[in-house]
Amino acid sequence: MFSNAAAQRLFGIGIAEAPCDACASVEGWYLPDRVSVLSPDQLPLVRAIRGEKVEDELVFVRNSRQRSGVWIRVNAWPLKDLDGTVSGGVVMFQDFTQGREALQTGVLLSRIAEQTVDGVMLTDTDGVIQYVNPAFEATTGYSRDEALGKTPRILKSGLHDAEFYRQMWARLAQGLPFKGMVINRKKTGELYWSQQTITSMRDETAHLTHFVSVSQDVTELRKKHEQEFQLQLARDVQQRFYATPPVVAGFDIGASVYSADETGGDNFDFISMADGSVVIVVADAKGHGFSSALVMALTRAYVRCFVTMELELDEILDRVNQMLLKDLKHGDFVTVFLARLNTSHRSLSYASAGHLPGFVFFESGNVKCTLDSTGPPLGLFSENKFSLRPAIRLDPGEIALFITDGVTESTTPDGHQFGAQRVLDHVRAHSHESASNISNGIYSATRAFVPGNLQDDDITSVIIKADHA
């Protein structure tokens, strides 16, 4: 209860026995919005004299005496005679500035807990749940009513042993927070991974009162990381499939493959034969990515198996086709270009199953011959017939080029393709360079042609240069 002098000094109002006296010295009283001025008839004392009871109302006061402003909590009630006639009023003021700040902080903390995307659970020292927020409900499937009064055991997955929980509670008993990955179980029975932090809460006397758990469902993130890890493993394995171009007397051989994804559907291979010749394989499975990589791994294994049987190239394609017909789903296929480089005769024979044409260049840069397909792609038709083309002599300075369609079909956003002509022009312009540089340069040229980082398909090329004697 404030005296008239105290109220005048603190809040700029004199408390009198009549409404007119109370209104006379009002200065800087505002409604809680701190903008609207309190009118004389809204003053607590005036309202009390009118017979109204005022309970715990907040008023903001800022005037020449309180330049920074203070919050006051006001209670007022009428004074009545024995016959019930109002004869005056009583007003009680309380400086509520610090209290309001604490209240606002409490409201803010409550809003944070209610609106955060992480699950929040509060238990007492016996582990009985006292509070859960909406994020907890959304993650676990348990409503607030279903969780309150229970213990966190409702989330127990059964995948952690007793030692895990013993260590967790040992840390909490020491007042240390627990941080770790916990596998929990939802109401539906579904397991989920939770990044969890449990903290001991203590009062002003350091007495343990509660435990608060904040958890984040990281199941999808963990799955993503696991997938990325598996894809990287697959990429590492696939990289081992790309045989290093062999060192062959009289020839310079280079090759490169650049996958559009972590794994790809293109492949090149070099298989040395007992007679000194080298079988060169360039293959392209439909599409790109992980599924195409699996198809290509299967195709590579079949090709290697039948090559070691020293069959002719067209026979190898026929055998591989029969195997793939049993393994591939409808609509999947693989194009394969097989060439045999006879080093003693300096000649190249080939058979092609639906693959993009290869080219042989004269030393001048003109195209000597085009190596067209000699049969349909593998994995589509059981009655496929493949033919073997006669050997082509590679004279000194001549170049053979084999590519996949990811090279020619590299496409700009406005629909223009790199095309075969640009490939031919690039080889002519760089024919003096090593086979490896020409192969890698083809990839660089396609990427320069298509702006940005977009790569639609795997890009593979193999170059064979006949050295001068």
Side-chain angles (χ1 to χ4, degrees):
M1 171 76 78
F2 288 89
S3 68
N4 188 45
Q8 177 71 24
R9 184 173 64 255
L10 291 174
F11 308 124
I13 183 171
I15 300 181
E17 296 181 354
C20 57
D21 293 333
C23 300
S25 56
V26 172
E27 180 188 359
W29 279 48
Y30 299 88
L31 292 174
D33 62 9
R34 300 195 297 183
V35 175
S36 305
V37 177
L38 206 64
S39 62
D41 64 340
Q42 291 176 303
L43 291 172
L45 181 57
V46 174
R47 291 161 60 191
I49 293 175
R50 289 202 301 261
E52 183 180 345
K53 188 175 181 180
V54 180
E55 294 182 312
D56 292 329
E57 288 193 4
L58 287 180
V59 178
F60 183 69
V61 179
R62 182 175 57 235
N63 51 40
S64 57
R65 298 173 183 82
Q66 297 291 340
R67 295 188 181 279
S68 60
V70 294
W71 288 91
I72 61 173
R73 185 161 62 184
V74 182
N75 286 275
W77 57 92
L79 289 176
K80 297 181 180 181
D81 295 336
L82 294 177
D83 61 359
T85 303
V86 176
S87 58
V90 178
V91 180
M92 179 179 291
F93 303 94
Q94 179 185 5
D95 186 342
F96 196 63
T97 303
Q98 293 183 347
R100 188 175 188 277
E101 291 176 351
L103 180 62
Q104 287 180 319
T105 300
V107 170
L108 178 60
L109 291 175
S110 176
R111 287 176 179 171
I112 291 173
E114 285 290 297
Q115 298 179 27
T116 183
V117 296
D118 294 335
V120 178
M121 175 175 60
L122 181 72
T123 74
D124 61 18
T125 55
D126 294 324
V128 177
I129 299 174
Q130 305 292 303
Y131 167 81
V132 295
N133 71 340
F136 173 93
E137 296 178 285
T139 299
T140 68
Y142 287 99
S143 68
R144 184 169 299 183
D145 290 341
E146 290 173 320
L148 296 184
K150 304 293 193 307
T151 71
R153 292 187 186 90
I154 61 175
L155 305 177
K156 193 172 182 179
S157 66
L159 298 181
H160 296 290
D161 57 20
E163 180 61 19
F164 174 85
Y165 293 105
R166 189 196 68 76
Q167 292 182 10
M168 179 181 72
W169 284 109
R171 287 188 60 85
L172 295 173
Q174 297 175 50
L176 300 174
F178 166 82
K179 294 182 179 181
M181 190 74 70
V182 181
I183 305 174
N184 287 328
R185 191 180 298 276
K186 300 183 180 184
K187 181 181 177 181
T188 60
E190 178 186 358
L191 296 175
Y192 69 99
W193 292 82
S194 174
Q195 184 64 50
Q196 198 159 333
T197 301
I198 305 175
T199 307
S200 302
M201 306 297 293
R202 299 178 182 275
D203 60 18
E204 61 276 4
T205 65
H207 179 68
L208 180 64
T209 60
H210 296 87
F211 296 108
V212 62
S213 169
V214 179
S215 59
Q216 182 182 21
D217 184 353
V218 295
T219 305
E220 293 304 316
L221 181 62
R222 186 178 178 87
K223 286 180 180 178
K224 180 180 178 182
H225 287 170
E226 181 66 21
Q227 289 171 350
E228 291 174 349
F229 175 73
Q230 295 296 338
L231 283 174
Q232 185 58 50
L233 285 179
R235 180 179 178 83
D236 292 344
V237 171
Q238 190 176 48
Q239 290 295 322
R240 300 172 195 166
F241 289 170
Y242 303 139
T244 302
V247 177
V248 178
F251 295 92
D252 176 20
I253 302 176
S256 65
V257 58
Y258 294 88
S259 300
D261 298 313
E262 288 82 355
T263 56
D266 280 9
N267 185 63
F268 65 77
D269 202 359
F270 302 96
I271 308 169
S272 298
M273 306 301 292
D275 62 359
S277 64
V278 178
V279 174
I280 302 159
V281 185
V282 180
D284 183 1
K286 175 186 176 183
H288 56 85
F290 191 68
S291 60
S292 295
L294 292 177
V295 171
M296 185 51 65
L298 189 64
T299 303
R300 177 182 182 273
Y302 286 146
V303 170
R304 278 189 158 253
C305 175
F306 293 123
V307 166
T308 58
M309 296 171 64
E310 299 188 359
L311 302 173
E312 289 292 347
L313 299 181
D314 55 338
E315 293 181 76
I316 293 172
L317 292 179
D318 181 65
R319 297 284 187 94
V320 175
N321 181 57
Q322 296 304 318
M323 300 303 293
L324 291 179
L325 283 170
K326 302 174 184 178
D327 296 326
L328 301 187
K329 65 181 181 181
H330 180 72
D332 283 348
F333 61 87
V334 183
T335 66
V336 179
F337 184 96
L338 294 182
R340 187 189 301 269
L341 179 63
N342 188 314
T343 56
S344 59
H345 293 87
R346 298 178 66 89
S347 64
L348 187 76
S349 58
Y350 83 95
S352 173
H355 200 79
L356 203 67
F359 299 91
V360 176
F361 297 80
F362 287 113
E363 185 176 11
S364 65
N366 293 327
V367 174
K368 179 177 182 177
C369 60
T370 300
L371 311 180
D372 292 317
S373 174
T374 65
L378 307 183
L380 292 177
F381 311 108
S382 59
E383 300 300 324
N384 278 0
K385 295 297 181 181
F386 306 95
S387 59
L388 177 66
R389 289 292 186 262
I392 303 165
R393 180 172 173 78
L394 293 179
D395 292 321
E398 294 185 343
I399 298 174
L401 164 69
F402 318 128
I403 57 177
T404 59
D405 59 11
V407 177
T408 56
E409 295 178 5
S410 291
T411 307
T412 62
D414 58 359
H416 292 90
Q417 292 190 340
F418 191 73
Q421 188 59 51
R422 287 187 176 86
V423 181
L424 302 181
D425 292 342
H426 180 87
V427 174
R428 291 191 188 101
H430 298 270
S431 60
H432 60 285
E433 298 182 14
S434 69
S436 178
N437 284 349
I438 297 174
S439 178
N440 287 311
I442 290 173
Y443 170 76
S444 298
T446 63
R447 303 313 303 133
F449 179 75
V450 180
N453 297 320
L454 179 64
Q455 181 178 335
D456 293 330
D457 200 359
D458 309 321
I459 295 175
T460 301
S461 61
V462 173
I463 300 289
I464 301 174
K465 293 185 66 176
D467 296 336
H468 287 87

